[in-house]
Amino acid sequence: MSHLATLDTSLHNRLPESAMTMFEAKAAKKLTFEAIAKELGRAEVAVAAMFYGQARASEEDIDKLSKLLGVDHAKLTQELAGFPDRGRTIDMPPKEPLIYRLFEIVQNYVGYSKLLRYTFYVADESHFRDTLTRL
C-alpha cells in the first residue's frame, strides 16, 4: 500500500488556499497522488504540482478533482483560477545544499551566459567591446 503524502505545516503560509483545500480532501478520502493521477489522466508529478500551486489546472482537471475529492466545483474553480505562483515554497536563499548550489549557479552564471549568447548576435565587434567595458 502506498503512503499518503500530507502537507507540511511549515508550508501553510507559503501556499495558495487551494493547497489546503485539496490536501484536506485528499487525506479525508485517503487518496494517493498515484490514484488521483490515474483519474485525471495526468502524471503524478503534474498532479502534485497542482496541489502545491506550482502548475495550472485545466477546466477538465478542476471538474475531475471536484468530483473525486468531493470539493465544491465553484470553490475549487475560484481557488485554482489564475496563474501559478511558483517558487514560494522554499526559503531564499535555499538551505538544502543541492538546491542552494543550483541557486548559486543561476545567480552567479546566468548573467555571463546571457552575455555570451548575446555576442553571437552582435555583428559589430566594437559594440561587443563597448558592452564589456560597461560591465
Side-chain angles (χ1 to χ4, degrees), residues 109-135:
Y109 299 109
V110 167
Y112 301 122
S113 68
K114 282 183 182 179
L115 178 64
L116 292 174
R117 278 183 297 185
Y118 178 70
T119 61
F120 289 111
Y121 299 107
V122 176
D124 182 8
E125 186 180 313
S126 64
H127 180 71
F128 174 65
R129 205 175 316 114
D130 292 341
T131 302
L132 285 177
T133 305
R134 285 193 298 258
L135 293 176

Side-chain angles (χ1 to χ4, degrees), residues 5 10-11 18 32 35 59 61 63 65 116 122 124 129 135:
S10 69
L11 297 176
S18 62
T32 63
E59 189 59 43
D61 293 330
D63 290 341
L65 281 169
L116 292 174
V122 176
D124 182 8
R129 205 175 316 114
L135 293 176

Side-chain angles (χ1 to χ4, degrees), residues 20-65:
M20 273 53 90
T21 300
M22 292 193 299
F23 269 103
E24 286 172 6
K26 177 181 170 296
K29 299 265 184 174
K30 296 184 180 359
L31 293 168
T32 63
F33 281 130
E34 180 181 17
I36 296 168
K38 283 181 184 174
E39 287 292 321
L40 269 59
R42 306 263 277 179
E44 280 183 72
V45 173
V47 172
M50 281 189 266
F51 269 67
Y52 282 97
Q54 302 295 305
R56 193 169 185 178
S58 69
E59 189 59 43
E60 184 181 349
D61 293 330
I62 294 170
D63 290 341
K64 289 179 180 180
L65 281 169

Side-chain angles (χ1 to χ4, degrees), residues 14-16 42 46 49-50 52-57 82-90 92:
R14 293 187 237 167
L15 293 174
R42 306 263 277 179
M50 281 189 266
Y52 282 97
Q54 302 295 305
R56 193 169 185 178
F83 292 97
D85 187 8
R86 296 182 179 108
R88 291 178 47 185
T89 58
I90 61 171
M92 291 307 271

